[in-house]
Amino acid sequence: MKHVNSTRHPDFYISHKGSAMTIGDHQESFYGKRVLTYQPDKPLQPLETHVYRIATEYDDERSLLDLLTSFLDQVETSKLDSLIIGMWTDAYESSPQPVLDLLIERRDALPALRALFIGDITYEECEISWIIQGSYQPLLNAFPSLEVLRIRGSNGLEIAPFEHANLCELAIECGGLPVAIVHNLTQSRLPRLAHLELWLGTDEYGFDGGVDDYAKLLTALDASRLRYLGLKDADIADDVAIWVASQPWLAEIDTLDLSMGTLGDAGAAALFASDYVRQLKRLDVSHHYMSDEWMEKLQSLPIEVIADEQLEADEDDWRYVAVGE
């Protein structure tokens, strides 16, 4: 068995903090571009190779709305295709709704906007479970050409059922995903969705769903059209693995990502026995509680298997998701 103190996530560090792990660094790349933090007194770099994060700092006298307004006034908005919104003032008690509303107000000047990340906030700025989010249906309606939407935080998050012809990637990062969000996504129509990433989390931080809810969601979305499915950071990782391993549509997707959760031998056995899993290109089960035997069996599958971060349950058999607080 091995334990690690930190692991490199695709674009940020997740580091241990107590029994769980947290997001310790900002996004370094997004939409295929290097991320820069916007500073009004510095010249802007080319938008072709850079994406800007608009964020306040601790005790910042400027509001995020002020910074975003300044940025939109400086940048050639007709060419702005991607944007990251970071820390806003008192994110633990106020939502980014004024920022979302400003983007909606300026939508005619932002015809190229394709990718948004709302909430690039580290645990030092605000714990993920404390982040207050906003209402996203108006934003999605205002930007029908949006392709990528990543949201961090589920406290107060509202996504009413919506229809979007061009959204290809949807990710919700949180410590606990409310089932109401899953139900509303189930009622939505997303014909081009190819990347679905949901962090389920734990019931301590808002998760209140079950496998049946995700089964209905993936049936409604027609999971066979996905190229990437991430049901991550799940306290019910074994149940998710057992169910998903039996689904014929699994053979149609490229990547199944069950990382950051509490996967153990029961889930591993189901994945190993599944003919559908063997048709994946990539299986990510990083941050898991499998025994050496089952980890080695999964790694013997004729596909790419990522099984980093083998952990041990504590003496009371408690397992912890990667990001819970």
Side-chain angles (χ1 to χ4, degrees):
M1 293 285 190
K2 62 179 181 180
H3 292 268
V4 295
N5 293 323
S6 66
T7 185
R8 185 71 168 141
H9 205 262
D11 284 300
F12 48 79
Y13 283 105
I14 295 175
S15 56
H16 281 270
K17 180 171 180 280
S19 58
M21 293 192 284
T22 53
I23 298 170
D25 279 314
H26 293 125
Q27 198 90 357
E28 296 177 351
S29 64
F30 183 63
Y31 205 53
K33 302 179 183 182
R34 180 187 175 196
V35 176
L36 295 176
T37 297
Y38 171 64
Q39 299 181 52
D41 56 344
K42 292 190 175 181
L44 294 175
Q45 298 302 307
L47 295 177
E48 290 81 5
T49 52
H50 297 84
V51 54
Y52 275 91
R53 174 176 52 248
I54 316 299
T56 61
E57 299 177 353
Y58 182 70
D59 280 346
D60 204 325
E61 294 183 354
R62 307 161 301 181
S63 72
L64 186 58
L65 203 59
D66 292 338
L67 288 169
L68 179 58
T69 299
S70 171
F71 175 71
L72 293 177
D73 288 343
Q74 286 188 43
V75 76
E76 193 172 354
T77 54
S78 63
K79 295 183 178 179
L80 183 69
D81 64 2
S82 50
L83 183 66
I84 294 176
I85 299 298
M87 182 67 180
W88 52 90
T89 305
D90 298 334
Y92 54 90
E93 63 180 15
S94 62
S95 83
Q97 196 61 50
V99 170
L100 304 183
D101 292 342
L102 178 59
L103 291 174
I104 293 170
E105 180 184 322
R106 299 280 190 100
R107 60 185 181 273
D108 290 341
L110 297 165
L113 191 61
R114 296 291 181 271
L116 274 173
F117 179 10
I118 309 293
D120 184 15
I121 298 172
T122 68
Y123 77 85
E124 291 182 329
E125 295 171 324
C126 185
E127 299 281 9
I128 191 170
S129 63
W130 297 357
I131 299 172
I132 304 292
Q133 271 292 349
S135 177
Y136 280 82
Q137 187 194 39
L139 180 82
L140 288 158
N141 289 341
F143 292 94
S145 296
L146 195 69
E147 296 175 350
V148 177
L149 177 61
R150 180 169 288 268
I151 300 167
R152 182 171 295 161
S154 61
N155 199 359
L157 176 63
E158 297 179 15
I159 306 180
F162 66 99
E163 181 171 348
H164 201 288
N166 292 301
L167 193 68
C168 300
E169 179 176 333
L170 174 64
I172 303 175
E173 305 175 358
C174 62
L177 187 62
V179 73
I181 298 296
V182 179
H183 290 170
N184 285 348
L185 293 178
T186 301
Q187 298 176 57
S188 300
R189 187 168 180 273
L190 304 171
R192 288 194 62 198
L193 192 70
H195 178 118
L196 177 64
E197 180 182 340
L198 302 174
W199 295 18
L200 279 60
T202 72
D203 57 10
E204 294 175 294
Y205 300 112
F207 172 76
D208 59 355
V211 168
D212 288 347
D213 299 299
Y214 291 88
K216 292 174 183 174
L217 168 64
L218 291 165
T219 297
L221 294 178
D222 185 4
S224 66
R225 292 187 292 104
L226 298 175
R227 301 277 61 82
Y228 169 100
L229 173 61
L231 299 174
K232 305 169 60 173
D233 201 48
D235 202 24
I236 59 167
D238 276 333
D239 293 338
V240 170
I242 291 168
W243 168 73
V244 77
S246 68
Q247 301 304 304
W249 49 255
L250 191 60
E252 305 297 324
I253 72 175
D254 294 336
T255 297
L256 175 63
D257 190 345
L258 302 179
S259 66
M260 300 168 58
T262 61
L263 187 75
D265 287 353
L271 294 169
F272 183 76
S274 171
D275 289 337
Y276 307 128
V277 169
R278 293 165 190 262
Q279 297 178 61
L280 293 167
K281 293 180 178 176
R282 187 185 200 202
L283 172 65
D284 191 341
V285 291
S286 299
H287 187 281
H288 63 84
Y289 292 82
M290 294 184 288
S291 64
D292 289 346
E293 175 187 0
W294 280 106
M295 185 176 70
E296 291 170 3
K297 284 186 175 181
L298 278 191
Q299 290 176 321
S300 72
L301 290 171
I303 60 174
E304 180 186 3
V305 177
I306 303 171
D308 300 335
E309 287 190 79
Q310 183 187 29
L311 304 171
E312 288 183 335
D314 66 16
E315 59 185 13
D316 296 320
D317 199 30
W318 280 100
R319 304 177 191 177
Y320 301 96
V321 297
V323 175
E325 181 54 81

